[in-house]
Amino acid sequence: MTDLFDPVDATDARLALGATGLLATFNRAGLLTSADVHVASALGRLGRETDDRVLLAVALAVRAVRGGSVCVDLATVADPPDLPWPEADGWAAAVAASPLVEAGLVRWDNDLLYLDRYHEQETQVVHDLLTRAASAPDHDPVLMSASMDRLVAAMQAARPGTTYDEQVEACVSAAGQWTTVLTGGPGTGKTTAVASLLVGLLDQHPGGLRIALAAPTGKAAARLQQAVHQEAEAFEEADRVRLAGVTASTLHRLLRPDPGNSTRFRHHRGNRLPHDVVVVDESSMVSLTQMARLLEAVRPDARLVLVGDPHQLSSVEAGAVLSDVVRGFQDRPDSPVAALRSTHRFGAEIHELAEALRTGDADGALQVLAAGHEAVEWVDEADPSSRIRSTALSAALAVRDAAEHGDVEGALAALDRHRLLCAHRDGPFGVRHWNRRIEQWLTAETGDGLFERAYVGRPLLVTANDHQLGVYNGDSGVVVLTAAGPRAIIAASDGPRDLAPSRLGDVETMHAMTIHKSQGSQADVVTVLLPDEESRLLSRELFYTAVTRARSTVRVVGSEAAIRAAIGRRAQRASGLAVRLSTAPETAP
């Protein structure tokens, strides 16, 4: 759990000057911030709790949410060990007997301490998933098999030698359950299964179905829509036509935000979504709060398909729902999980590296990196800028060239030639530093000082939802020179949007981007810039996510120590979801 800050001085805003007891000690040590202390103190006053140990536990629960966990496990939290941690058994007993628990201000469940909101959401997710698993939709298995035979024949005619056994098995299973969790790494054919399932379900319902495709970010939604339509190109014409009108949106947009409540939506248990089938891609990025809102909005008699890779990074907000659901259902006969394992997207070398990362095999990963494969490159140099420059500058010049000629399609396509991925936003390994470096290289190459904020060829990353403009967090684009002057062309989920650059407030330059922001996107060549081994952000999930963004080539820039540190460190998030699913009574549709 170690994540300390060093106070700048006695006036540092992270210090709670009025704190006393254990809260003051842990705050001065840099483990708790002033926000953690103030929330714990306020709850203590509300619940008339004065035990320092309980107030410390509450502050740690607040801190845990900020770090992505939904609760705190007091039995494993004592890190760093040189602080005056309470004795574990007595600490747990004090929390369990606290008036704060009795009043419902915090929750003590399965020896885990929750803030009330997150306990309620986790409880709801467990209840909704198990309720949906307790019944099954009516369907015709014979017709579903016939649909799959027709689709497989068409796909094999278009792509000779490819097999689809895993996808067919997943589709047949999904037809008979309200919830399906479709998992697999990149290139395992998840989108093929989604497109096939939609056609199979349309065969089951000749009157038509209301279908919604969604993803957590605009970029992921655009990719989902494009990928489903690309997969449909291998189908017979009649099947292609039925999928032609299916579009994707962000999950946020699908649920429709409530202007008066930042955590609620207009679609909820009292106003369900009208759709018969809801498919959510990149589900590993969905937080506990979003998953709770989605499950309460989907009709009980509508199929929900959650698609994703449980080994990727989880949501930037609290929760790791997809991996928790997969683990929670893994030994249950009513499991909705269908796993795809055979990869088709990239070559054997990237697949071998990804598998070594997924399984935590540091020696195997280093062996692949050191083998000198064309598709996998390892750069272990004190100053890797010259190696990064060759690829990053070439890609930036391609974007700029297309943008100067007003070639919107070419400029957007050039964005995906290369992606420089960083773990950090700041510092020598950070996004801001490398965006500036690449712009300096562009200036040196072209003579353009890039003084304008909306310089032609500037790659853009939208960082906040703007419902009025129809652009969403994660959408990408580029400034293109048109007859009307420079315009920001954003690749939104429903097609490119042509906007005046001045109307976009929340955008960043995207020559480089964080690995977190890269989820849901792909590039032909990916350069992964690892920080030094002391970085707290390094984790196996971070490394795996970065490597699997590549279509054809991946370059890893970092030392052996950094690589081993990343592979050996898991991005663990405290949660009770998996245990509660695995121990719940079995359902029988």
Side-chain angles (χ1 to χ4, degrees):
M1 185 171 177
T2 305
D3 185 9
L4 305 176
F5 70 87
D6 293 319
V8 176
D9 54 37
T11 63
D12 193 314
R14 293 169 294 183
L15 294 176
L17 300 183
T20 59
L22 288 175
L23 290 179
T25 301
F26 280 73
N27 179 220
R28 287 194 296 268
L31 190 71
L32 299 176
T33 67
S34 56
D36 305 328
V37 172
H38 292 318
V39 171
S41 299
L43 289 176
R45 289 192 296 272
L46 282 173
R48 298 182 179 180
E49 175 59 80
T50 58
D51 189 326
D52 259 8
R53 296 172 299 171
V54 176
L55 297 179
L56 174 62
V58 173
L60 291 171
V62 177
R63 177 182 186 271
V65 170
R66 195 173 65 251
S69 294
V70 300
C71 57
V72 63
D73 183 354
L74 299 183
T76 62
V77 77
D79 181 23
D82 56 348
L83 289 173
W85 296 96
E87 185 271 326
D89 291 340
W91 195 11
V95 171
S98 171
L100 296 181
V101 173
E102 183 179 356
L105 296 173
V106 295
R107 301 287 181 170
W108 181 253
D109 193 347
N110 286 328
D111 294 330
L112 300 172
L113 181 63
Y114 296 79
L115 300 180
D116 178 61
R117 168 184 169 184
Y118 295 97
H119 183 268
E120 178 187 9
Q121 291 173 0
E122 187 176 281
T123 301
Q124 180 205 313
V125 168
V126 171
H127 176 268
D128 286 344
L129 287 173
L130 293 176
T131 299
R132 292 177 62 84
S135 63
D138 292 331
H139 73 292
D140 185 343
V142 176
L143 176 58
M144 191 68 186
S145 295
S147 300
M148 293 301 105
D149 290 343
R150 182 182 79 249
L151 294 171
V152 168
M155 289 188 290
Q156 288 181 331
R159 308 162 187 153
T162 306
T163 59
Y164 299 96
D165 295 345
E166 290 181 341
Q167 286 77 14
V168 168
E169 183 180 351
C171 291
V172 170
S173 175
Q177 53 197 23
W178 292 121
T179 305
T180 298
V181 182
L182 182 63
T183 67
T188 53
K190 297 189 294 294
T191 310
T192 301
V194 168
S196 302
L197 174 62
L198 294 179
V199 172
L201 293 178
L202 286 167
D203 286 347
Q204 297 277 326
H205 300 270
L209 289 170
R210 291 164 293 187
I211 297 171
L213 304 181
T217 68
K219 183 67 173 179
R223 277 194 57 246
L224 173 62
Q225 178 177 315
Q226 180 185 37
V228 167
H229 291 163
Q230 285 178 342
E231 291 298 327
E233 291 176 3
F235 297 166
E236 296 175 359
E237 183 177 358
D239 293 327
R240 289 200 302 272
V241 169
R242 290 192 292 172
L243 293 183
V246 176
T247 60
S249 71
T250 63
L251 186 57
H252 202 260
R253 185 179 179 188
L254 174 70
L255 296 175
R256 298 185 63 199
D258 183 343
N261 192 322
S262 61
T263 63
R264 288 284 180 178
F265 297 89
R266 294 183 181 180
H267 286 293
H268 46 73
R269 215 173 292 279
N271 180 32
R272 305 273 191 171
L273 288 166
H275 305 92
D276 304 299
V277 182
V278 178
V279 179
V280 180
D281 197 15
E282 298 291 348
S283 294
S284 64
M285 300 167 65
V286 178
S287 68
L288 177 65
T289 299
Q290 273 194 315
M291 186 61 72
R293 302 297 173 246
L294 172 66
L295 286 169
E296 71 177 13
V298 175
R299 298 196 332 260
D301 59 344
R303 286 181 174 86
L304 173 63
V305 183
L306 302 174
V307 185
D309 184 349
H311 303 291
Q312 287 188 17
L313 283 168
S314 300
S315 164
V316 294
E317 299 175 13
V321 181
L322 183 65
S323 60
D324 282 345
V325 169
V326 171
R327 289 190 295 112
F329 274 109
Q330 64 184 358
D331 296 322
R332 294 179 62 105
D334 58 349
S335 173
V337 179
L340 306 179
R341 294 181 172 84
S342 302
T343 185
H344 309 284
R345 186 172 92 189
F346 37 53
E349 294 83 9
I350 296 180
H351 175 65
E352 189 177 354
L353 175 59
E355 279 298 291
L357 298 181
R358 185 182 68 81
T359 58
D361 182 2
D363 290 336
L366 287 165
Q367 185 176 353
V368 176
L369 288 167
H373 298 298
E374 185 175 337
V376 176
E377 182 182 353
W378 181 17
V379 178
D380 182 7
E381 298 175 359
D383 182 7
S385 57
S386 62
R387 303 286 289 276
I388 294 173
R389 183 183 191 277
S390 60
T391 309
L393 178 58
S394 174
L397 288 170
V399 173
R400 178 186 172 90
D401 183 63
E404 285 183 325
H405 288 85
D407 181 1
V408 170
E409 185 176 339
L412 292 176
L415 285 177
D416 292 334
R417 281 182 48 177
H418 175 256
R419 191 84 76 239
L420 175 59
L421 302 182
C422 307
H424 291 264
R425 295 185 58 81
D426 300 301
F429 303 102
V431 167
R432 290 191 176 95
H433 171 81
W434 286 98
N435 272 326
R436 288 194 298 270
R437 290 291 299 273
I438 294 170
E439 287 179 336
Q440 290 168 358
W441 295 334
L442 270 172
T443 295
E445 188 75 15
T446 65
D448 183 351
L450 307 181
F451 299 118
E452 297 293 331
R453 179 172 181 267
Y455 63 81
V456 174
R458 181 193 179 194
L460 304 171
L461 179 66
V462 178
T463 58
N465 298 328
D466 189 322
H467 303 286
Q468 184 177 2
L469 296 181
V471 298
Y472 297 90
N473 184 17
D475 286 347
S476 59
V478 63
V479 177
V480 176
L481 183 61
T482 70
R487 302 288 292 181
I489 309 298
I490 304 298
S493 59
D494 56 351
R497 295 193 179 276
D498 185 333
L499 302 167
S502 59
R503 298 188 68 190
L504 290 170
D506 295 303
V507 291
E508 297 176 349
T509 303
M510 200 186 71
H511 292 299
M513 67 189 305
T514 63
I515 297 171
H516 271 94
K517 289 284 188 181
S518 75
Q519 287 183 272
S521 68
Q522 299 175 13
D524 295 332
V525 180
V526 166
T527 299
V528 184
L529 183 60
L530 295 179
D532 61 53
E533 63 271 23
E534 300 301 322
S535 170
R536 295 192 298 266
L537 294 182
L538 271 181
S539 70
R540 186 186 307 175
E541 292 81 1
L542 186 89
F543 198 0
Y544 173 87
T545 299
V547 165
T548 54
R549 299 308 90 206
R551 291 193 188 99
S552 60
T553 306
V554 62
R555 176 192 293 121
V556 176
V557 180
S559 65
E560 178 178 341
I563 291 169
R564 288 190 180 277
I567 297 173
R569 190 178 302 155
R570 303 298 305 272
Q572 299 288 2
R573 293 190 169 191
S575 162
L577 181 57
V579 171
R580 295 169 76 173
L581 284 172
S582 64
T583 57
E586 294 178 5
T587 57

